Structures are given as C-alpha cells and as structure tokens.
Amino acid sequence: MGFIDLNGDLGRRFGSLGMTLEGIGVRLRAAPSRSIAASGPGADRAAEYARRLTSAWDLPQSVRLDVEQGIPEHVGLGSGTQLALAVGAAVARLYGRRTDAREVAQITDRGARSGIGIGAFESGGFIVDGGHAPHEAAPPPVTVRLDVPSDWRVLLVLDRRGQGLHGSRESAAFEALPAFPADQAAHISHLLLMQALPALVHADLPAFGTAVDEIQRRLGDHFAIAQGGRFSSSRVADAMAWLRARGAVGIGQSSWGPTGFCLVKGAERAQGLAADARRHFRDTPSLAFLDLRPRNAGSRVWQEESAVSRHAGTTA
C-alpha cells in the first residue's frame, strides 16, 4: 500500500505498509527426489530458489517441488517473495532444518526494499516495516502488525495485458526518480501514525481509507514519471475511478502495479460491487475484478507422509 520515506533523510530508507489477503497465494508440495525439479506456476523460479537454499544450507540438491497454486507474476502482489519463502519453509521441513522467513529472504534476495511480504508470510494482517538503515543487508524489520476487521473486503483490479516494473528496470526506475521531499515523507508518516493506524484499531474504514487515499495520491504523483501516471495501467485507472464513484475507499496501486486495490465494508457489498464492475467493463476483457478477505494469519505447513505442503498469503 505504499512507501513512507523514499530518501531516508532520518537514516532509514523506504519503510512500507501493506495488507495480507486471503484467497490468492502460493501452495506447493515438496518431496525427496534424485535432483532438484519443479513443476507448476513459477517452476523455474522455485527450482532456482531451491538450488540457492540447499547450497547455502549444505543440503543435498534432491528435492521435487510441485507448485499447485501461484500468484500472478510482476503485477504487484509479491509473487516472488511468497514463492521463495514457501520453497524455503518446505525444503527446511523436508530436511528437518530450523529456519525463519528472514533467513530465507536473505538467501533468495527477497525483501530488498520492503518487509511486507515477509511479514505477511510470518503473521498476516496489516503490516508496517521500518525500512533499511544505510548499508544494511538484512530485510527491514516489521514494526507494526495489526489485525484487519473481518468485515472489511479488498477489491483487486488486475490488468492481464500488462506487468509492473521489475528486475533491472525497477532498479533503474528507482535510481532515476527525483528526490522525495522530506515534507512529503513527514506527511505520509503522520497520516500513517495518527490516522490510518488508529482507524484500523477502531475499525473505522472511512478514516482508514482517507489516509490510504492520500498516501497513494502523493506516492502515485511521485512515481508518475516512471510509470506514466498515478496508475501504470490506464484501464485500471478508469476502473478505480468508477469504483471510487460508487463508494469504495482506500484507492491505490499495489507496488508498481498494474494491480489496483480499494476497500469496502461487508461481503455482500463487495460481491455486488465486483459483479457490477465486471458487467460495466465487459468490453475491457483484460480487466479482472477479485473480491478478497483480509488474512490475519501467516503461512501454514503440514506433513503428509513423505511430502511437505506450504501455503502462503499475499500483499496489496
């Protein structure tokens, strides 16, 4: 749901906020094998993560990964981090090794800027991380974790025709951005600390949504030079404006997008609004509208005879 301080004028750079969602995530099985092999969505990435982890832990490179469910890649939903952490947890359990998400993230080069994906994997809920200190290699620490009210719903708008910036293009975009004004970072911090967090504690969705709206507006204007506007997809931008006009709050873009998000109260309201949106935008087939619940729990692992399964939620 956004960064806090892109410059790090007070010593720590980035800092971010995000929410964990139920209904879209990673599910995989791990079992002994003669070599490292993987199948399913993101299989090549899963196999590479397994190679890195078994090498770092001095384990046999003999595991098979069956990815049964994946997250769409490079659309702002943390697919790489959740897959890496799921692989790490499953491989560790398979070989009886103790580990945690932060160690796995460091080995697999996840959490370079944001700790939201790690926090989502560990505990779910609404998460704030404390950013990076200069020359700090470890993923940023989670500083706030709160439950999200169970009657809140998140609508995601996906544009299946596009992907957000990632890899070297993402790094180059960050380097090319102008300096983020200190007064903007201060205002975002104030919105988060004195409006968004108290609103979440009091289950005040309008106040929470107003804070997220303002944070996203300021960040979207700053990133517009790199992505062509507040939203990287004009189709998603149109859909988000339509949803706002019908009462949705907390309008924004997840990471580099193109996925947009907004919040409404009540399952029936969310389902109806998503159905209305699908009908209204039926001539824009690249758009998909998902109605999801918040997830106030982290990942799960369980043993099935000789196999290990892992499930992880994702961020908006």
Side-chain angles (χ1 to χ4, degrees):
M1 286 183 161
F3 286 116
I4 299 169
D5 187 347
L6 294 167
N7 286 4
D9 290 337
L10 294 179
R12 300 192 71 89
R13 189 181 181 195
F14 297 118
S16 50
L17 53 147
M19 186 181 292
T20 315
L21 302 180
E22 188 72 79
I24 181 169
V26 172
R27 179 187 175 102
L28 63 83
R29 295 172 184 267
S33 176
R34 294 182 178 180
S35 61
I36 288 180
S39 63
D44 290 344
R45 297 175 87 184
E48 175 58 25
Y49 293 143
R51 280 189 284 270
R52 292 191 191 186
L53 291 159
T54 52
S55 177
W57 291 337
D58 195 25
L59 296 174
Q61 295 202 345
S62 53
V63 59
R64 172 162 188 86
L65 300 166
D66 296 311
V67 184
E68 300 177 347
Q69 176 183 325
I71 301 168
E73 294 185 348
H74 309 309
V75 298
L77 295 177
S79 61
T81 297
Q82 297 308 306
L83 181 59
L85 299 181
V87 169
V91 170
R93 175 66 69 89
L94 191 65
Y95 286 101
R97 190 187 191 283
R98 297 182 67 85
T99 188
D100 59 33
R102 291 177 65 82
E103 181 190 16
V104 173
Q106 286 189 269
I107 294 170
T108 56
D109 294 328
R110 309 309 305 180
R113 297 183 183 88
S114 172
I116 298 303
I118 296 170
F121 192 87
E122 290 180 321
S123 62
F126 180 82
I127 302 153
V128 179
D129 77 63
H132 285 279
H135 312 298
E136 186 176 59
V142 172
T143 55
V144 175
R145 188 272 172 201
L146 293 171
D147 276 353
V148 182
S150 60
D151 61 346
W152 290 13
R153 291 295 183 271
V154 178
L155 297 184
L156 293 185
V157 182
L158 288 79
D159 186 346
R160 290 172 290 206
R161 289 178 54 183
Q163 292 185 332
L165 294 176
H166 57 277
S168 59
R169 292 180 61 207
E170 179 185 17
S171 298
F174 271 112
E175 292 300 321
L177 285 172
F180 194 65
D183 63 339
Q184 294 274 45
H187 187 61
I188 287 174
S189 299
H190 194 241
L191 286 167
L192 175 62
L193 181 64
M194 299 304 291
Q195 184 169 349
L197 294 180
L200 188 57
V201 170
H202 289 289
D204 184 345
L205 181 57
F208 180 84
T210 297
V212 172
D213 273 341
E214 180 67 7
I215 291 169
Q216 281 284 314
R217 183 183 68 78
R218 290 172 182 266
L219 290 170
D221 287 346
H222 185 74
F223 282 98
I225 189 173
Q227 61 185 21
R230 288 185 187 172
F231 292 87
S232 61
S233 164
S234 60
R235 292 175 288 275
V236 170
D238 291 343
M240 301 316 296
W242 186 89
L243 289 164
R244 181 190 296 278
R246 282 149 186 82
V249 299
I251 306 289
Q253 174 178 283
S254 183
S255 186
W256 288 101
T259 302
F261 66 84
C262 62
L263 294 94
V264 298
K265 187 171 184 178
E268 184 175 350
R269 169 65 174 147
Q271 292 164 6
L273 191 56
D276 289 346
R278 294 183 192 109
R279 286 190 290 269
H280 183 82
F281 290 96
R282 61 184 176 275
D283 294 331
T284 311
S286 68
L287 291 182
F289 297 86
L290 303 182
D291 158 32
L292 303 175
R293 302 192 311 274
R295 179 178 173 89
N296 290 318
S299 57
R300 292 194 299 126
V301 62
W302 63 95
Q303 192 92 18
E304 295 179 343
E305 295 180 358
S306 63
V308 173
S309 302
R310 190 75 184 186
H311 177 276
T314 185
T315 66

mmCIF file of all heavy atoms in Angstrom, residues 45 52 130 145 171 201 203 225 266 314:
data_model
loop_
_atom_site.group_PDB
_atom_site.id
_atom_site.type_symbol
_atom_site.label_atom_id
_atom_site.label_comp_id
_atom_site.label_asym_id
_atom_site.label_seq_id
_atom_site.Cartn_x
_atom_site.Cartn_y
_atom_site.Cartn_z
ATOM 1 N N ARG A 45 11.518 -20.468 -11.233
ATOM 2 C CA ARG A 45 11.919 -19.676 -10.069
ATOM 3 C C ARG A 45 11.984 -20.559 -8.829
ATOM 4 O O ARG A 45 12.904 -20.434 -8.007
ATOM 5 C CB ARG A 45 10.944 -18.523 -9.837
ATOM 6 C CG ARG A 45 10.884 -17.507 -10.945
ATOM 7 C CD ARG A 45 9.795 -16.474 -10.684
ATOM 8 N NE ARG A 45 10.271 -15.365 -9.878
ATOM 9 C CZ ARG A 45 9.483 -14.383 -9.462
ATOM 10 N NH1 ARG A 45 8.186 -14.391 -9.744
ATOM 11 N NH2 ARG A 45 9.976 -13.382 -8.744
ATOM 12 N N ARG A 52 19.530 -22.408 -4.476
ATOM 13 C CA ARG A 52 20.223 -21.460 -3.596
ATOM 14 C C ARG A 52 20.154 -21.914 -2.143
ATOM 15 O O ARG A 52 21.155 -21.843 -1.413
ATOM 16 C CB ARG A 52 19.592 -20.069 -3.726
ATOM 17 C CG ARG A 52 19.803 -19.389 -5.049
ATOM 18 C CD ARG A 52 19.371 -17.932 -4.930
ATOM 19 N NE ARG A 52 19.290 -17.265 -6.210
ATOM 20 C CZ ARG A 52 19.059 -15.979 -6.356
ATOM 21 N NH1 ARG A 52 18.856 -15.214 -5.292
ATOM 22 N NH2 ARG A 52 18.991 -15.421 -7.554
ATOM 23 N N GLY A 130 10.044 -1.032 9.042
ATOM 24 C CA GLY A 130 10.842 0.125 9.435
ATOM 25 C C GLY A 130 11.904 0.548 8.454
ATOM 26 O O GLY A 130 12.748 1.396 8.793
ATOM 27 N N ARG A 145 2.140 -4.661 13.499
ATOM 28 C CA ARG A 145 1.310 -5.721 12.937
ATOM 29 C C ARG A 145 -0.041 -5.674 13.645
ATOM 30 O O ARG A 145 -0.119 -5.805 14.873
ATOM 31 C CB ARG A 145 1.979 -7.070 13.122
ATOM 32 C CG ARG A 145 1.270 -8.228 12.392
ATOM 33 C CD ARG A 145 0.202 -8.839 13.241
ATOM 34 N NE ARG A 145 -0.603 -9.796 12.514
ATOM 35 C CZ ARG A 145 -1.808 -10.176 12.875
ATOM 36 N NH1 ARG A 145 -2.376 -9.658 13.966
ATOM 37 N NH2 ARG A 145 -2.490 -11.048 12.171
ATOM 38 N N SER A 171 14.973 -1.363 -10.704
ATOM 39 C CA SER A 171 16.124 -0.718 -10.059
ATOM 40 C C SER A 171 16.471 0.585 -10.756
ATOM 41 O O SER A 171 16.754 1.606 -10.104
ATOM 42 C CB SER A 171 17.327 -1.669 -10.069
ATOM 43 O OG SER A 171 17.044 -2.846 -9.329
ATOM 44 N N VAL A 201 -7.424 0.267 14.353
ATOM 45 C CA VAL A 201 -7.726 -0.219 15.702
ATOM 46 C C VAL A 201 -9.210 -0.053 16.023
ATOM 47 O O VAL A 201 -9.834 -0.923 16.646
ATOM 48 C CB VAL A 201 -6.858 0.509 16.744
ATOM 49 C CG1 VAL A 201 -7.330 0.201 18.155
ATOM 50 C CG2 VAL A 201 -5.384 0.124 16.574
ATOM 51 N N ALA A 203 -11.604 0.098 13.782
ATOM 52 C CA ALA A 203 -12.413 -0.445 12.683
ATOM 53 C C ALA A 203 -13.174 0.651 11.947
ATOM 54 O O ALA A 203 -14.323 0.463 11.529
ATOM 55 C CB ALA A 203 -13.369 -1.520 13.194
ATOM 56 N N ILE A 225 6.315 9.780 -13.164
ATOM 57 C CA ILE A 225 7.341 9.978 -14.188
ATOM 58 C C ILE A 225 7.882 8.651 -14.704
ATOM 59 O O ILE A 225 8.313 8.539 -15.853
ATOM 60 C CB ILE A 225 8.492 10.850 -13.631
ATOM 61 C CG1 ILE A 225 9.448 11.246 -14.748
ATOM 62 C CG2 ILE A 225 9.240 10.128 -12.516
ATOM 63 C CD1 ILE A 225 10.504 12.242 -14.296
ATOM 64 N N GLY A 266 -18.193 -5.089 4.196
ATOM 65 C CA GLY A 266 -19.244 -6.081 4.045
ATOM 66 C C GLY A 266 -19.063 -6.969 2.835
ATOM 67 O O GLY A 266 -18.797 -6.489 1.734
ATOM 68 N N THR A 314 -0.758 -13.349 0.304
ATOM 69 C CA THR A 314 -0.027 -12.317 -0.430
ATOM 70 C C THR A 314 -0.402 -10.920 0.052
ATOM 71 O O THR A 314 -1.350 -10.798 0.826
ATOM 72 C CB THR A 314 -0.291 -12.437 -1.943
ATOM 73 O OG1 THR A 314 0.516 -11.500 -2.632
ATOM 74 C CG2 THR A 314 -1.724 -12.155 -2.261
#
